[in-house]
Amino acid sequence: MPVAITLRSVTKSYSRGGETLRVLDELDLDMDAATFYALMGPSGSGKTTLLNLVGGLDQADSGVVQVGDIDLAELDGGELAQWRAEHVGFVFQGFNLLPVLSARENVELPLLLAPLSKRQRREQAERALELVGLQDRMDHKPRELSGGQEQRVAIARAIATDPQVILADEPTGDLDRNTADAVLELLQRLNRELHKTILMVTHDPQAAGYADKVIHLDKGKLGRIDDNRASSAAGGR
Amino acid sequence: MPWKLLLRNVLGHPVRSLLTVGAVTVAVFLICMLQAVTSGLSRTLDASAANRLLVQSAVSLFVDLPLAYQQKLAAVPGVEATCKWQWFGGRYEQDKGGFFAQFGIDPQTFAPSYPEMTVVAGDYAQFAATRTSCIVGEQLADKYGWKLGQTVPLGGTIFTRTDGRPWEFTIAAIYHSNSPAFDEQSLFFHFDYLHESLEQGGARGPQGVGVYMLRLAPGTDPLDVQRSVDAMFENGPQRVQTTTEAEFNRQFISMLGDVPALLRLIGGAVLFAIFFAVLNTMLLAGRERTRDLGILKALGFANGVAAWLLIGESLLLCLTGAALALGLAGALEQPFAAATATFIPGFGFDRNTLLLGGGIALVTGVVSGLLPGLRAARLGVTEALQELG
Ligand SMILES: Nc1ncnc2c1ncn2[C@@H]1O[C@H](COP(=O)(O)OP(=O)(O)OP(=O)(O)O)[C@@H](O)[C@H]1O
Ligand SMILES: [Mg+2]
């Protein structure tokens, strides 16, 4: 079942050296199910913070973060971890993979938390790697992979447990144009074919072009939301 | 629990892991050795006979007692037999660097007083009947490949022959011992042969007796005998000190200083050193893996798993080291026991020693893993993810 995400007057502050920095300020946001969102904004505007709140990696100071029919504020640490394992796939900013494990083993990691046999885990991991086009790189260690391949392994790991929500923090930040396009097409396919709700942080307008909608964030406040589908319909992109 | 990850983390730093395992191996091995020496010493004391007393000079073990004391000692009520023990201190001509103990004794009372000794080759009666013969321990005979009837040349150090030639003792019997308090690396010969040589001018050296052994009749209170003997020579010519065999052995051991205390001190220092070596490795490992731990937690692994990854790694290193150390100890037990038999006849690894070694490794593993492990458990996901990989 595709999952929608709702934020209601969400506030998140960090205190550093006695100073309190309000990173997200009374934020309201509605994200439709099975939609591919890009999240843009200047550095330090709170994009990663927002992603962490939606993914249950951190909790809001106040307000409601609802993913599907779950209000994340009602889960304690252990429940939140379990919820993440079942419902969210992450692609982090920067290095994503455990260097000592092979591509397949990295993808199998989140499956260790699911009630699966060893054989099922292996099959599911291999299927995810095939989906991202890395069936011939399964036994490679991260340092034996290119940057684009590493990100694709990270995406394979994010979808291995078949979560409805995928959160990606600058997945193409370190990639060249062609590699980035391949990764973005992959995310787009996951959205179109498997109906995943995707929230992707990016600085790159061209990357944002792959999304259905683009959310602009500035200094913890929501800016405008562009609908690429509407503009492409109008502009004939 | 991602066991594979734990193992890969260890194998991911082969040099560091190897050094840590090596340090644990050396330390556990050393501690086991020290413990084996300490418990060997106490086994020797425990195995000392209760029905034997030793009479020595009250001044020191190095001062001789008059020969005439023997008759008086034999007359003390409760004393069943007496036997002289004289330290010879000779040097084996064929192995001048080696060392083994030789004593002049009274053959008639020696064997009956030491039932822990059994003759396995030759004939004790022949030894007792032949003035220039000797009886040697099984291990000693094996060490030098001695056969019955063979002559052992010993260069005198305390007792020298006037003709300048070495002393010669013919092997009449070989004994086996079933007590850790009685070693198999000694040579015993006739005290009378030594004494006659001194009297007749064939040799030079002190004329007295180092120690008298008193064998007590069954049912005798050693304390009574001890008191009457000490009282008997209260006014000279030589005051004596009478001790139980256990007490005598203890004094002999402590001539080297308080050995057990010293060994414990060294053991403690070694323990301290490995603890910090392993802790250092684990703190380093914990820091390095901050981002990995953040990723694991983000994927939904519990805080406990993060902690166990580090505690498990620490345990793996320590227990591998301990296993190697115990293997090494097993392999070296025999050669080491043979080399030290004269001083520590009871040397050996018993179950407690091995448990101690394993236990130390276990505790070191848990404690060194706990510090980084607790940090890993408390680590916030978002902070950990901000760390560069
Ligand atoms: N754990 C933290 N403690 C203190 N301050 C933090 C913490 N995490 C983030 N911040 C601050 O909050 C603000 C928003 O951070 P965030 O990581 O959400 O920005 P971002 O939009 O993702 O930026 P970038 O594009 O550089 O990744 C920044 O000023 C950052 O310094
Ligand atoms: Mg960010």
Side-chain angles (χ1 to χ4, degrees):
Chain A
M1 239 247 320
V3 161
I5 298 167
T6 311
L7 278 71
R8 286 283 167 272
S9 53
V10 167
T11 299
K12 179 74 186 175
S13 309
Y14 289 113
S15 51
R16 214 171 5 188
E19 227 177 305
T20 306
L21 178 70
R22 195 167 259 227
V23 181
L24 297 179
D25 188 10
E26 301 274 330
L27 197 78
D28 287 307
L29 177 62
D30 288 288
M31 290 191 267
D32 300 330
T35 307
F36 184 177
Y37 287 91
L39 179 57
M40 298 190 76
S43 185
S45 57
K47 304 182 297 293
T48 298
T49 304
L50 177 62
L51 214 65
N52 289 345
L53 293 183
V54 171
L57 293 176
D58 208 347
Q59 289 198 307
D61 299 336
S62 64
V64 175
V65 178
Q66 185 156 346
V67 182
D69 45 12
I70 304 284
D71 178 357
L72 297 190
E74 283 172 6
L75 303 182
D76 69 22
E79 291 166 339
L80 211 51
Q82 202 177 342
W83 174 82
R84 284 199 300 270
E86 288 169 18
H87 296 97
V88 191
F90 289 99
V91 179
F92 306 109
Q93 193 167 5
F95 300 94
N96 265 288
L97 305 179
L98 301 201
V100 293
L101 299 180
S102 70
R104 188 208 322 266
E105 289 159 349
N106 264 287
V107 176
E108 273 187 44
L109 266 182
L111 297 170
L112 285 173
L113 295 165
L116 297 173
S117 71
K118 195 172 171 175
R119 185 206 179 104
Q120 286 171 317
R121 274 205 306 271
R122 198 184 161 92
E123 284 171 0
Q124 212 158 316
E126 288 176 359
R127 218 174 308 132
L129 281 163
E130 274 163 27
L131 199 68
V132 300
L134 286 176
Q135 54 279 2
D136 54 348
R137 292 284 187 281
M138 300 208 225
D139 294 315
H140 286 55
K141 291 278 175 63
R143 65 165 183 282
E144 298 159 351
L145 296 171
S146 72
Q149 288 169 336
E150 269 192 64
Q151 281 315 63
R152 275 147 72 194
V153 175
I155 291 170
R157 186 179 62 196
I159 60 173
T161 54
D162 197 27
Q164 286 310 307
V165 179
I166 293 174
L167 304 175
D169 202 346
E170 296 192 51
T172 57
D174 303 320
L175 305 180
D176 64 47
R177 192 69 260 157
N178 288 339
T179 324
D181 283 340
V183 168
L184 290 160
E185 274 161 26
L186 179 61
L187 287 171
Q188 202 172 46
R189 258 180 62 213
L190 293 173
N191 167 250
R192 302 245 162 106
E193 293 169 19
L194 303 172
H195 310 294
K196 308 289 181 201
T197 307
I198 300 178
L199 180 56
M200 172 185 75
V201 172
T202 184
H203 283 285
D204 173 14
Q206 235 175 301
Y210 282 83
D212 299 324
K213 294 186 178 182
V214 184
I215 303 166
H216 292 272
L217 197 64
D218 197 3
K219 298 197 186 88
K221 293 276 192 194
L222 203 58
R224 63 178 200 287
I225 299 182
D226 298 331
D227 192 332
N228 285 341
R229 291 171 301 193
S231 64
S232 64
R237 177 179 169 252
Chain B
M1 181 78 209
W3 297 107
K4 200 180 266 175
L5 179 58
L6 196 161
L7 197 65
R8 292 287 177 76
N9 280 338
V10 172
L11 300 177
H13 283 279
V15 174
R16 191 170 72 193
S17 297
L18 221 66
L19 287 175
T20 310
V21 167
V24 174
T25 304
V26 169
V28 170
F29 176 71
L30 251 172
I31 288 171
C32 282
M33 279 312 239
L34 296 175
Q35 177 61 24
V37 170
T38 317
S39 68
L41 293 177
S42 74
R43 246 198 304 277
T44 304
L45 298 181
D46 292 344
S48 305
N51 71 333
R52 292 192 293 247
L53 296 180
L54 293 156
V55 183
Q56 64 181 82
S57 159
V59 181
S60 139
L61 193 56
F62 301 106
V63 174
D64 283 346
L65 294 173
L67 257 177
Y69 277 22
Q70 189 161 18
Q71 272 195 353
K72 293 182 187 168
L73 289 169
V76 173
V79 174
E80 202 172 58
T82 63
C83 179
K84 303 191 239 344
W85 277 73
Q86 180 69 310
W87 176 261
F88 184 69
R91 220 171 326 159
Y92 182 37
E93 296 288 297
Q94 259 71 52
D95 180 18
K96 295 212 162 123
F99 165 83
F100 61 90
Q102 312 106 30
F103 298 95
I105 46 92
D106 299 331
Q108 292 73 28
T109 50
F110 182 64
S113 302
Y114 291 90
E116 51 267 67
M117 183 182 83
T118 47
V119 172
V120 289
D123 183 12
Y124 192 83
Q126 196 198 329
F127 162 61
T130 316
R131 244 169 25 103
T132 57
S133 69
C134 66
I135 179 170
V136 299
E138 205 173 12
Q139 280 179 9
L140 190 62
D142 285 348
K143 179 176 173 187
Y144 291 123
W146 288 343
K147 300 278 174 293
L148 286 173
Q150 176 175 345
T151 297
V152 179
L154 293 177
T157 55
I158 306 168
F159 304 97
T160 51
R161 286 167 59 111
T162 42
D163 62 9
R165 301 194 32 228
W167 296 80
E168 291 193 333
F169 300 103
T170 309
I171 300 172
I174 295 174
Y175 71 86
H176 170 80
S177 162
N178 60 17
S179 163
F182 197 91
D183 73 70
E184 281 184 6
Q185 299 214 348
S186 297
L187 178 153
F188 299 97
F189 61 91
H190 292 226
F191 175 88
D192 288 345
Y193 170 55
L194 173 66
H195 185 67
E196 279 161 28
S197 304
L198 293 170
E199 290 227 301
Q200 291 161 8
R204 274 188 293 269
Q207 295 262 358
V209 175
V211 173
Y212 286 106
M213 186 283 301
L214 310 181
R215 187 176 87 225
L216 305 182
T220 310
D221 184 352
L223 225 64
D224 288 344
V225 178
Q226 233 168 311
R227 266 195 230 104
S228 33
V229 169
D230 287 348
M232 189 153 73
F233 303 108
E234 185 61 42
N235 301 313
Q238 268 274 9
R239 288 178 50 230
V240 300
Q241 186 192 354
T242 309
T243 55
T244 60
E245 194 173 276
E247 182 56 33
F248 183 85
N249 285 339
R250 194 172 297 126
Q251 282 179 12
F252 184 73
I253 290 164
S254 64
M255 284 194 324
L256 312 166
D258 188 349
V259 178
L262 184 71
L263 296 186
R264 268 196 294 277
L265 196 73
I266 298 174
V270 171
L271 199 63
F272 220 58
I274 48 159
F275 173 66
F276 282 110
V278 178
L279 183 64
N280 184 50
T281 300
M282 290 317 301
L283 286 174
L284 216 65
R287 293 244 162 254
E288 253 172 30
R289 309 245 167 82
T290 301
R291 188 176 169 89
D292 289 9
L293 292 167
I295 291 171
L296 286 173
K297 287 188 177 197
L299 294 179
F301 284 93
N303 292 338
V305 173
W308 268 113
L309 267 176
L310 288 160
I311 297 173
E313 179 170 346
S314 173
L315 271 173
L316 185 65
L317 292 172
C318 288
L319 293 182
T320 306
L324 289 176
L326 297 187
L328 196 66
L332 292 182
E333 178 173 15
Q334 282 313 316
F336 197 84
T340 59
T342 308
F343 294 108
I344 320 158
F347 179 90
F349 299 106
D350 54 19
R351 222 165 57 115
N352 287 342
T353 303
L354 302 183
L355 283 178
L356 178 80
I360 282 173
L362 191 74
V363 171
T364 306
V366 172
V367 175
S368 318
L370 211 57
L371 246 85
L374 287 178
R375 175 182 167 271
R378 287 205 207 99
L379 200 64
V381 189
T382 51
E383 286 80 13
L385 286 173
Q386 276 167 357
E387 202 102 344
L388 287 174

